[in-house]
């Protein structure tokens, strides 16, 4: 192969730089061979612009691919009862997805139900979200009962894993036990659609044969709640194009469906094995988000699970009704102990913190104020038993009031909103035992003889040490030399007993004389 000789060094130096086709290596002499695709400038070699363009194009393609795959699907997990903590977690997660411009939010749901207020907050956030929301009842064996059914109906995409269920969406009223329908009987309005009174019957003023009698006040309140819930879920079903008739039955009759049945009844859109399968199945579907049609492009997208932060975990613990009741007890007892023995500080500070946290939890939960009053009355009676022992009367009354208040404080029929009966009885028994024991110890200590102080000197034995010429006498009492006076003549060595303390002088009598104060 022939290599063309380049120009000499002198000729190269005379050429303009872009046209130099030589290599002026400091150690080279004479003409040098020129490599194709390179410029040479006194020892420096630079690639041609063709290579630069290829590198820049590759970088741009990489950046474009990274930008296309950078917005991952956000997965939020709610595997507990719907409450203030889960509502805060989901609302913040939807807000984060909107800021990150995520293509989709998947809510992995497994819940027995929860609070109506928290459920409505979640649904309002889902309806106003700029990001499509898919609710996925998972993993296998999970359920979306009660409040979970409403949340599933509010989603842009409703999906379930195999062997999951939904339904039983009848609302449960919070109030005194015994009101409303018996347990296990579905709530029903006073008159169904098929049994509504006809105009002719109203004009005649006579009730139709077989017509239901007017509902009591408690049933009327239940009917109002059921009708409101039925209208709410029916509106969600109409907005998302799902089975509104079955949704109303889930509210009025508490019916449930499996995943395959829900897909057949057009209650849900997809039955998927997992999040990747869900993203593949909904790819290309069109949903309506804030009045605009959005086509989902989710096949092959990555997903990121967003876990609750420390604030939401703390909120979940505090908002637990059982923990809230315990915080209230610790707070009140800490303040009582601080007032009984001020100066230590720890019971007062701990009690104030726990009491504030307990009150914060109560304002987030549906509280029956009659029950709260009974709980506070029980604690007050416990404290009264300790401060003024009444032979257990206040303690027993406090235990009864505490148990009754604990049963009425939260509705145990609402998932996650009740306090277990064993916990209530255990707290009442522990409080009663503590205060009764404390009262008995205080009463026993009150009956004990005084062992120190001014009162303890009365009746104390002593021995006369000396009697001075002016009549001043000195005696040894409790190993101490005291100046003593007596109505009886004293002599050294006599045994005496203290009758009273007058300043720094003891008034004594002979040991065989009765202790009769003057």
């Amino acid at each position: 192969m022939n290599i063309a000789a380049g120009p000499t060094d002198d000729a190269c130096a005379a050429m303009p730089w872009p046209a130099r086709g030589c290599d002026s290596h400091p150690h080279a002499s004479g003409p040098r061979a020129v490599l194709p695709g390179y410029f040479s400038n006194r020892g420096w070699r630079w690639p041609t612009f063709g290579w630069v363009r290829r590198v820049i194009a590759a970088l741009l393609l990489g950046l474009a691919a990274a930008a296309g795959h950078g917005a991952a699907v956000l997965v939020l997990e709610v595997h507990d009862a719907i409450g203030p903590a889960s509502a805060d977690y989901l609302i913040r997660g939807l807000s984060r997805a909107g800021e990150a411009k995520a293509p989709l939010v998947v809510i992995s749901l497994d819940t027995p139900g929860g609070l109506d207020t928290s459920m409505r907050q979640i649904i309002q956030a889902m309806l106003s979200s700029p990001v499509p929301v898919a609710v996925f009842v998972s993993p296998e064996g999970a359920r979306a009962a009660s409040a979970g059914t409403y949340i599933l109906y509010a989603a842009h995409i409703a999906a379930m894993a195999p062997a999951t269920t939904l339904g039983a969406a009848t609302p449960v009223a919070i109030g005194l036990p015994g009101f409303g329908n018996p347990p296990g009987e579905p709530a029903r309005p006073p008159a169904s659609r098929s049994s509504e009174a006809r105009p002719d019957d109203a004009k005649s003023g006579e009730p139709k044969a077989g017509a239901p009698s007017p509902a009591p006040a408690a049933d009327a309140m239940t009917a109002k709640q059921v009708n409101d819930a039925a209208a709410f879920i029916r509106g969600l079903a109409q907005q998302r194009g799902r089975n509104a008739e079955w949704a109303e039955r889930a509210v009025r009759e508490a019916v449930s469906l499996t995943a395959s049945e829900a897909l057949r009844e057009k209650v849900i859109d997809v039955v998927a094995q997992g999040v990747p399968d869900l993203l593949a199945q909904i790819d290309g579907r069109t949903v309506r988000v804030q009045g605009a049609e959005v086509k989902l492009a989710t096949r092959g997208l990555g997903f990121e699970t967003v876990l609750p932060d420390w604030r939401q975990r703390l909120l979940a613990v505090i908002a637990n009704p059982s923990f809230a009741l315990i915080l209230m007890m610790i707070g009140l007892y800490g303040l009582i102990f601080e007032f009984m023995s001020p100066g230590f500080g720890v019971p007062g500070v701990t009690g104030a913190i726990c009491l504030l946290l307990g009150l914060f939890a109560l304002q987030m939960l549906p509280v029956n104020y009659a029950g709260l009053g009974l709980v506070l009355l029980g604690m007050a009676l416990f404290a009264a038993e300790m401060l003024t022992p009444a032979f257990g009367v206040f303690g027993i009354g406090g235990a009864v009031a505490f148990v009754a208040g604990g049963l009425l404080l939260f509705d145990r029929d609402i998932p996650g909103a009740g306090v277990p009966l064993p916990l209530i009885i255990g707290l009442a028994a522990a409080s009663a035992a503590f205060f009764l024991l404390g009262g008995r110890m205080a009463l026993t200590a009150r009956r004990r003889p005084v062992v120190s102080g001014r009162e303890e000197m009365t009746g104390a034995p002593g021995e006369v040490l000396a009697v001075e010429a002016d009549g001043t006498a000195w005696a040894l009492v409790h190993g101490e030399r005291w100046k003593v006076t007596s109505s009886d003549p004293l002599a050294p060595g006599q045994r005496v007993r203290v009758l009273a303390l007058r300043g720094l002088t003891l008034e004594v009598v002979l040991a065989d004389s009765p202790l009769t104060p003057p």
Side-chain angles (χ1 to χ4, degrees):
M1 181 177 62
N2 297 327
I3 300 177
T8 62
D9 291 345
D10 294 337
C12 182
M15 292 181 182
W17 178 78
R20 293 174 186 173
C22 58
D23 185 7
S24 301
H25 194 275
H27 301 287
S29 62
R32 299 280 296 181
V34 181
L35 297 177
Y38 278 80
F39 291 124
S40 177
N41 183 19
R42 304 283 182 186
W44 293 91
R45 295 187 179 185
W46 299 90
T48 60
F49 289 105
W51 290 93
V52 174
R53 284 196 298 268
R54 293 189 185 94
V55 173
I56 292 177
L59 290 175
L60 292 177
L61 289 176
L63 291 175
H69 294 281
V73 174
L74 294 187
V75 179
L76 308 176
E77 295 182 347
V78 178
H79 296 167
D80 200 355
I82 302 298
S86 54
D88 180 79
Y89 165 62
L90 290 180
I91 292 173
R92 289 178 181 270
L94 292 175
S95 176
R96 173 179 173 180
E99 295 174 355
K101 300 186 183 303
L104 181 70
V105 174
V106 176
I107 299 177
S108 177
L109 187 64
D110 180 12
T111 178
L115 302 181
D116 177 77
T117 53
S118 301
M119 175 200 71
R120 290 178 183 266
Q121 291 175 0
I122 294 171
I123 292 176
Q124 290 172 4
M126 292 170 59
L127 296 178
S128 61
S129 172
V131 178
V133 180
V135 174
F136 184 32
V137 184
S138 64
E140 295 185 7
R143 57 177 172 169
S146 191
T149 303
Y150 296 82
I151 297 174
L152 186 67
Y153 260 84
H156 299 91
I157 298 292
M160 297 176 67
T164 57
T165 59
L166 84 157
T170 304
V172 179
I174 296 179
L176 296 176
F179 286 84
N181 295 328
E185 179 182 338
R188 54 176 178 81
S192 61
R193 292 181 178 178
S194 61
S195 61
E196 291 179 354
R198 296 180 179 178
D200 296 339
D201 299 330
K203 292 179 181 179
S204 64
E206 298 179 359
K208 182 181 177 182
S213 59
D219 290 339
M221 180 61 67
T222 302
K224 290 173 61 177
Q225 295 172 343
V226 170
N227 289 334
D228 176 71
F232 182 54
I233 198 170
R234 189 169 61 249
L236 295 175
Q238 293 171 355
Q239 181 173 358
R240 301 304 187 199
R242 299 197 175 97
N243 191 332
E245 181 181 356
W246 184 89
E248 190 166 352
R249 288 186 57 208
V251 174
R252 297 185 182 277
E253 303 175 17
V255 295
S256 299
L257 288 177
T258 63
S260 58
E261 294 170 346
L263 184 63
R264 185 175 62 251
E265 295 289 339
K266 297 183 179 180
V267 174
I268 62 173
D269 306 306
V270 175
V271 174
Q273 296 289 339
V275 175
D277 185 26
L278 172 64
L279 298 180
Q281 291 193 46
I282 65 176
D283 181 65
R285 291 176 180 256
T286 301
V287 296
R288 193 170 187 84
V289 180
Q290 294 184 339
E293 300 290 336
V294 176
K295 186 175 182 180
L296 300 178
T298 56
R299 184 180 296 273
L301 288 181
F303 59 90
E304 174 189 358
T305 302
V306 180
L307 299 177
D309 56 17
W310 67 268
R311 179 183 180 275
Q312 292 153 355
R313 292 192 183 97
L314 178 62
L315 188 63
V317 174
I318 294 176
N320 185 294
S322 301
F323 194 72
L325 183 60
I326 295 174
L327 285 176
M328 288 284 296
M329 289 190 59
I330 296 176
L332 290 176
Y333 291 164
L335 294 180
I336 290 173
F337 293 152
E338 182 65 26
F339 292 147
M340 290 175 57
S341 57
F344 189 52
V346 175
V349 173
T350 305
I353 294 174
C354 292
L355 185 61
L356 290 176
L357 291 176
L359 293 175
F360 174 72
L362 292 181
Q363 65 91 22
M364 295 188 300
L365 297 171
V367 177
N368 187 316
Y369 291 100
L372 180 61
L374 285 172
V375 170
L376 296 177
L377 176 62
M379 294 180 179
L381 290 176
F382 287 146
E385 177 65 30
M386 187 170 183
L387 296 175
T388 57
F391 304 100
V393 176
F394 289 158
I396 296 175
V400 173
F402 186 87
V403 172
L407 292 175
L408 300 180
L409 186 59
F410 304 104
D411 196 331
R412 299 177 63 200
D413 293 334
I414 298 181
V419 180
L421 182 60
L423 177 63
I424 297 174
I425 296 177
L427 291 176
S431 300
F434 178 79
F435 281 106
L436 289 175
L437 180 61
R440 181 174 180 179
M441 293 175 61
L443 185 61
T444 303
R446 185 182 183 89
R447 293 175 178 175
R448 288 179 180 175
V450 181
V451 296
S452 63
R454 184 185 186 94
E455 292 79 9
E456 189 271 338
M457 294 296 293
T458 303
E463 181 181 354
V464 179
L465 296 178
V467 178
E468 298 180 357
D470 57 356
T472 302
W474 300 87
L476 186 66
V477 179
H478 290 327
E480 301 170 341
R481 185 181 176 91
W482 286 85
K483 183 179 180 181
V484 298
T485 60
S486 177
S487 57
D488 300 325
L490 300 177
Q494 287 182 321
R495 305 293 299 177
V496 295
R497 285 188 296 173
V498 178
L499 184 63
L501 177 61
R502 314 288 186 187
L504 295 179
T505 302
L506 298 178
E507 184 175 353
V508 298
V509 295
L510 296 179
D512 54 356
S513 301
L515 291 175
T516 305

